[in-house]
Amino acid sequence: MSMELDVFVGNTTVLDQDVYQLWLDGHTVSDAVRIRMEAGALQECEANAEVLHSDTTDQFRTFQMCERLLQSPSKVANQLLFQIPPHRQTMLIERYYEFDSVFAREVLGKKLSKGTKKDLDDISSKTGIALKSCRRQFDNFKRVFKVVEELKGPLVENIQRHFLLSDVLARDYAAIVFFANSRFEAGKRKLQYLSFQDFAFCAGQLISYWTVGAVDNMMEDLDVDLEKDFLHDLKDLKVLVNDKDMLDQHKSLVCAQLRGKIKVFSEMEANFKNLSRALVNIASKLTHTKDFRDLFIDLVEKLIEPCRSDKWTIGDLRLFLKHYSSSVHMLEAFRHQVIWDRYMSVIKSCILKMYHD
Amino acid sequence: MPGRLKAKIVAGRHLPVMDRASDLTDAFVEVKFGNTTFKTDVYPKSLNPQWNSEWFKFEVDDEDLQDEPLQITVLDHDTYSANDAIGKVYIDIDPLLCSEAATVISGWLPIYDTIHGIRGEINVLVKVDLFNDLNRFRQSSCGVKFFCTTSIPRCYRAIMVHGFVEELVVNEDPEYQWIDRIRTPRASNEARQRLIFLMSGELQRKIGLKVLEMGGNAVVGYLQCFDLEGESGLVVRAIGTACTLEKISTFPATATHPNNSSPSKDMKEPGFGEEAPGVPLSSGPPTPLRAQTFSSFSPSKSYSRQSSSSDTELSLTPKTGMGSGGSAGKEAGPLKALLKQQTQSALEQREYPFFTLTIFPPGFLLHVGGVVSARSVKLLDRIHNPDEPETRDAWWEEIRQEIKSHAKALGCHAVVGYSESTSICEEVCILSASGTAAILSSRFMQDGPLDTEHRLSQQPLCVFSAGSERVEGDMGSSASLGFEEVVSPGCGFCHIPYDELNIPFPAQLTYCYCCRRYKVPDVLFTTIDLPTEANVTGKGCLIQARLCRTKKKAQGEGNAMAISNLLPFLEYELHTQLMNKLKLRGMNALFGLRIQISVGETMLLGLASATGVYLTALPSPGGIQIAGKTPSDITYEQHISNMQKKINDTITKNKEQYEINPPEVVEEIIGSPIPEPRQRSRLFRSHSESSDEVSEIDLSHGKKDAFVLEIDDTDAVEDIHALLTDSPTPAGFYSCNTEIMPGIQNWTSAIQMFTSVRVFRLNANLTNQGLNKIFSDLCENLLKSLYFKLRSMVPCCLCHLNFTVAIPEDELIQVAVTAVAMSFDKEQTLENGKRSGEKTLIKAITENDEQLQFNLELNAESSSPNPLGSPKAPSVDYSSFADRCSSWIEQLKLKAHTIRRGSVKTTSSMEKASPLPEGRSRSLRSNRSYSGSSVAVVKMTPLSFIPGAKIIKYLGIINMFFIRETSSLREEGGVSGFLHTFIAEVFAMVRAHVAALGGNAVVSYSMKECVFMENPNKNQAQCLINVSGDAVIFVRESELELTSVQPQSATTQTSNGGEGT
């Protein structure tokens, strides 16, 4: 004796947000029923376990049927199968594309191809996120990447237009696409302390100031590619460390500004040349793909770690970077102020974001 | 050649990929009507083709226009092999044939394939040019309006109710033809879908012809059913009530000034005074003068009249609206002999004085006798000649005759709330018909004008119908009008129609608790909706009696006999259960009673659903007493007293829950012909002696008192347990199977229509009791699940809870429910306060257009549903977006609505925001399948109205039949996944067709058929669904208020003027 068939179809599709979350999290029906019972669902409407099970099964089935549509969100609004009020549509889409930052952190910088999918099992066991949920999140990344890869124009807007996501979520996706496209190294042990949000911030900075779209949002190439000319021009910054006079002058200018203002002044003074060399070298090597991919690891190894070992506070670092970059304006022999500012403003905010334990 | 059908294929979208190599489709469209086919060009390599075809024109007879659907087939062009069909769209063009309905069909319609379901959408335009047809012998009936609604449609008034129309057509079922062995399932399904389309068209046309013959212009309460008789064929049958309707115009000038110098004036005038029968009055004071006035009822004339003359005749009558004057109760009162004979003589001229209506214009329904029903068991045989469906006709004729005679036995001349149904298992078929015996006012059935006051003021002697009859001696001198006001409108229909000295069945009569003047029965069962004017104490609730009976497997005649023998017991027990459950809830009347008996190979299933209420006019029901058979045993007695206590507690609790606290009255039992108080059934049965019919049984519980339950065996104990296990509805919920729930008026606009289907697999070898328990639990659990699912709409009422049971195969029970959940505001006063607040708010907003827009945007973006604080729980939301923000947004004009739509996060607004040069967006465009416009919301409800809204136009009947089949059941999510998708697809197709007609809602929606068959071993399943309803345009009342203050005041003025003349 058993229930062979059990369906409920509303003219307006019935969607329970809490159950949707359980489905998105990759729970099985029986898990979800247990969780709902623990959350006190039985107190409502004199329900019993049977009722709850039937409701959960039915909701899960509904979501599964909607899933096909959610994979191309622009269809949700003009499909005829489910009558869903616009604000509910927005909720469905937004939630479907939301992801766990822990998961995103794991995937960051990896190739969004089939090979990585085999790693999903590992990620799942590492992060404790259900495999089903991992798969959905990964497929979302892949789908967004595939669509915007071929598009012209500003990345965030493209994502927003095609996936109807909120601004915040679209920016996060832009970061993921940017990382996947540029293949930044993010998986090294030394970078493990950085969260997804750290990287997303850096990606946002890079997209806003260094990419093709930053100067001209109607370029032929993908907006997320860095501007070649700019990278090339960065080589000119070498003069800052190669020209002995200029390096000394720069150092004295910075020291004059910082004296008495930071606790680690002596360490800074001793290390200035190394730090400056590191910053300029990173800049000058960005044209090489290999070095470019190592941008973050370089920043950590060459700047953040030395400062950290000297016990710089974040305030010290902020002051240093501020004066380090502004002092260059006083170097009369230096002619690449515009490039310098464009480079330093991004690097500065990235380093500051990344400078924590 | 009286019509030209034009169709234009505009575009397609979301088409499936038909060419795996390119991931694209080369689509073209075939447009077929009758035997003519047109084709569009092939639109290569696109999933969103833009055909923009020319107008395809079909020149056809209007007969064909009514019968045939327009068939649109979308195909994928293939150079080397046969073209692959993507799917089809059938368009019923009937709504375009009536001038008052839709004028064009235009919109996105789902492309449907019986194997794959919906596969994209197609945008079409369809129009019809009708030429005048002067041929009076024509076979078509274009222009007759059809309504599924079982009341007079909201924007019409009834000029005349002509009566019962029925028709059936039969054919061989393509699924069972020899050719089915060699053709594909798809071809077979499509043949079946098309055949049923054709048959319904033909049926509708034939019914229309009958209506025209009777002089009517519309059919209300149109009920069409299919009998899938398997080997023996396919029957499509329909019943309805022919009426002459007139649209209530918003510009009253047309209605109040009949500018027609009619040729039929001479026809109508004598209609009033002619054929005065001078009936010998059997009771009551002889009032020959008045008797004459009754004779106006002359249906024969309406039969003989040519259809062309009916129109002129209509407009001749001065109309001020039948709804005016609150004439509801004026005719109320016992008519007894005189009126009965008058109207009866008239009604007898009709073949069947049946009405499929369940809600009546005020003053139409005078008295209600009780439920009449008839069933017969038939053995199906092959229909040899489809053109002569005589056997089936004869079967129904028998049943109808029986119903008619039952009604007569109850002293009634008419049957209202009439419906017919069948249940088929192999070659056995149970035909059932039921209705409510009633006495009707002749006022809507005569040729004369309808308006009571008008008539009275002009011809004081020509008193309307019941008025004079009610004059009993001392009242003789008083003006009839004055007298009528004395009678309470809320109790008249309860007064017994039969002669109290000659009661057809034993019953306990008392004087009416409202008017104290006329006699009423102790309990009243009906199949109609609760009359709006009825006096009701407290609230109502859904009451169900459920029963299973095992039966031996048998063949042919033996099987039919076995079923025939079981039926009476089944009905008796259902009736007992209903009565007990009614008493348990402290109520005394049932409305909307529907008894469904389903037959399977090894069992019979009975389900009776009704809405119980406490009618103030009827006496308070007694409690339930339990009596033991073996009083010597002490523990046993204790057990009984425990149970008695439980029952008493339940009754008290129920009375509390349903707010039943009738005013205390002194009991005054009047002389009943049967002295001892007894409960007798109001179910009337077949008196026929034929072997295949139910034989007569006595439903009066023998010597037993119905209030007393004797516990003499385990069965009775079980019964009592069953009685007590019905779990009460959770707090905040009410349920009924009628249109509305008494005591709830302040509905919000949040409605949610739903269909739920469950199939339960039984074990073999269950006892009757075990089966009963399972069946009862199945229904109870289903209800519980519904309450839980809809918990966010609390406080809410599940209205029109319509259960259908079936036994799809041995050991399977299928229960399907379609209903609507409607939220209401608990506090009427609160609502009022809010409303006035809203109005001021709106005023403030509308002062500044820009500010308005800003506010709207804010509201749309913010997730808080209602700035004024709605009482709903936020977690689950069923109501549409508009609904959530409704309470004040509604107050705004349509214009405002469009503004809001634009401001909600949509694709269109974003498109504007991003300046993309045309040339560069090539790859972008291919990905952009959306057009930017979102889909219009279409509401669906099984009720005849939409709360808080006014229906301004009926666009035509929706009657759709779909078959879905799969041979990859597991891949589609098993049986549940398969059916879930299919039902969702059916809803989607109904909504799309309504939207294409220009409508925004379907009212009186019902799922007539849901036949589900599965073969899990073969990974196969098939399902047939038939749905129907009325496509309408509604406008929120609040919008009307704002936009049409001026015209409304004009209306009242003119209508006042009209009444004065």
Side-chain angles (χ1 to χ4, degrees), chain A residues 296-308:
Chain A
F296 294 100
I297 191 96
D298 285 348
L299 285 175
V300 169
E301 283 178 347
K302 307 253 165 70
L303 272 141
I304 293 172
E305 283 183 345
C307 293
R308 208 186 275 151

Side-chain angles (χ1 to χ4, degrees), chain B residues 301-326:
Chain B
K301 214 164 42 207
S302 58
Y303 274 103
S304 61
R305 210 188 303 123
Q306 285 301 315
S307 55
S308 57
S309 69
S310 66
D311 298 333
T312 47
E313 207 251 348
L314 298 181
S315 47
L316 188 135
T317 321
K319 292 133 196 158
T320 40
M322 45 155 234
S324 68

Side-chain angles (χ1 to χ4, degrees), chain B residues 686-698:
Chain B
S686 163
H687 293 272
S688 144
E689 253 89 55
S690 68
S691 67
D692 56 350
E693 278 189 33
V694 182
S695 56
E696 186 180 358
I697 55 151
D698 180 16

Side-chain angles (χ1 to χ4, degrees), chain A residues 1-19 36 41-48 50-52 54-59 61-62 64-65 68-69 72-90 94 146-147 150-154 157-158 160-162 164-167 216-220, chain B residues 13-14 108-110 118 121 728 730-731 733 752-763 766 774 778 781 784-791 812 875-881 884 904-905 907 910-911 914-917 920 923-924 927-931 933-940 975-977 979-981 983-985 987-988 991-992 1012 1014:
Chain A
M1 285 201 287
S2 60
M3 196 63 77
E4 187 101 346
L5 181 158
D6 178 6
V7 297
F8 176 100
V9 190
N11 182 37
T12 306
T13 307
V14 174
L15 304 161
D16 186 321
Q17 294 203 34
D18 300 339
V19 185
R36 291 181 81 185
L42 289 190
Q43 267 82 61
E44 291 177 89
C45 263
E46 294 153 36
N48 55 33
E50 208 179 317
V51 165
L52 208 56
S54 150
D55 179 63
T56 312
T57 314
D58 193 70
Q59 288 278 303
R61 198 189 310 120
T62 309
Q64 213 172 321
M65 286 164 70
R68 193 177 46 84
L69 290 167
S72 40
S74 55
K75 277 187 188 164
V76 175
N78 60 11
Q79 52 83 31
L80 302 176
L81 193 56
F82 302 100
Q83 184 158 282
I84 304 170
H87 73 289
R88 307 286 288 176
Q89 292 181 5
T90 313
E94 186 81 5
K146 244 180 134 179
V147 168
E150 297 165 15
L151 297 180
K152 320 284 175 270
E157 272 181 45
N158 277 342
Q160 250 183 321
R161 178 156 5 96
H162 282 270
L164 310 175
L165 303 177
S166 68
D167 193 56
D216 174 6
N217 57 10
M218 284 307 139
M219 287 301 286
E220 284 293 332
Chain B
R13 68 179 182 192
H14 304 156
W108 289 103
L109 300 173
I118 291 179
E121 291 120 40
F733 274 106
Q752 165 74 310
M753 190 280 295
F754 58 86
T755 291
S756 185
V757 182
R758 283 190 180 184
V759 175
F760 195 83
R761 183 171 291 279
L762 305 164
N763 279 346
L766 278 163
I774 287 167
L778 183 61
N781 278 330
K784 269 188 202 160
S785 275
L786 296 181
Y787 296 136
F788 183 74
K789 272 229 179 279
L790 300 160
R791 64 194 183 284
L812 285 186
S875 80
V876 191
D877 173 43
Y878 309 88
S879 51
S880 73
F881 176 75
R884 298 197 71 188
V904 183
K905 179 177 281 278
T907 47
M910 271 173 212
E911 256 173 345
S914 72
L916 274 179
R920 292 194 181 161
S923 64
L924 181 83
N927 283 315
R928 241 178 44 202
S929 50
Y930 53 92
S931 61
S933 64
S934 56
V935 181
V937 171
V938 175
K939 298 216 171 205
M940 290 167 79
V975 282
S976 295
L979 193 63
H980 193 144
T981 314
I983 294 174
E985 284 174 338
F987 284 5
R991 287 193 301 257
F1012 180 76
E1014 56 166 330

Side-chain angles (χ1 to χ4, degrees), chain B residues 731-732 734 746 794-795 824-830 871:
Chain B
Y734 289 97
N746 36 339
V794 160
F824 59 90
D825 279 328
K826 228 170 191 160
E827 318 262 323
Q828 185 95 47
T829 44
L830 188 133

Side-chain angles (χ1 to χ4, degrees), chain B residues 15-30 39-49 51 72-88 111 113 119 122 186:
Chain B
L15 292 190
V17 170
M18 298 299 282
D19 180 359
R20 286 286 162 89
S22 66
D23 267 2
L24 290 167
T25 297
D26 305 317
F28 72 100
V29 181
E30 274 183 13
K39 279 183 194 175
T40 66
D41 297 332
V42 175
Y43 193 93
K45 304 206 183 318
S46 172
L47 298 184
N48 303 291
W51 290 290
I72 293 170
T73 313
V74 185
L75 297 111
D76 176 50
H77 175 74
D78 214 324
T79 322
Y80 303 108
S81 58
N83 298 327
D84 294 322
I86 295 172
K88 283 193 154 90
I111 303 166
D113 178 71
R119 302 175 98 190
I122 187 167
R186 176 181 282 119

